[in-house]
Amino acid sequence: AFHAETLIVDELMENLSHNLYPSNETHRLLSPWIGHNRAHLIELHHQAIIIPLMTSNGYAQAKVKSEAMLRDLTETWRFNPRTLFTKVCAPAVISTAVNTTSTTDAELAQAAAACALERYYLSSQSYPDKLEDLVPDFAEAIPVDPINSNPLHYQKTADGRYQLHSIGLDAIDHYGGGGDVTWNYQEALPLPPKRERKSRRRRGKP
């Protein structure tokens, strides 16, 4: 997804450059300037997101790296025209993308884990004591937290249900509070009663 976003950013800068070039003379003057901003933004994207995501706690590393690079961009290169568009686009492209994608991935991981937990419940009328009990009958592997690649945090609750959560981008477990991404579910509604189907006979036939 982030590689695709890099291509989108590149296409955005390409379209922007064409819109700013009403004449050949303007193109000659502005082309290097747009090119520097374009290259700089894509480089920041790789350094702040793509490379950190390759580590075991990728999202947390990407958050730290992107925030540091954005601060450096704002404080150090304040009047640099080669980074003008980078400063405008970087917060949305880098920081917001990391926050949104990490939360979405965590919710997807928890949804998959919840499905396995419900299958376990249907089989034994209770939830497992730990996520490891889901393997191999109800899940191929222990459900992991995409933010730090550790198992999702799970525990049974006093009401016979469970709490499932992912740590937030601060990489600190708040036990389901704070910046954690917590799985919320509603109790299944009872199915409506089945209606008896009345046999219908065609006219003239028994």
Side-chain angles (χ1 to χ4, degrees), residues 136-189:
D137 295 331
F138 305 97
E140 295 181 355
I142 300 173
V144 299
D145 187 342
I147 293 179
N148 62 359
S149 300
N150 292 331
L152 287 167
H153 291 271
Y154 165 84
Q155 64 179 6
K156 296 175 70 174
T157 55
D159 60 356
R161 293 204 159 192
Y162 62 87
Q163 177 177 299
L164 184 67
H165 70 272
S166 159
I167 64 170
L169 283 177
D170 59 2
I172 299 174
D173 183 11
H174 298 281
Y175 304 99
D180 294 346
V181 182
T182 305
W183 175 254
N184 296 315
Y185 57 90
Q186 295 180 348
E187 187 172 358
L189 297 176

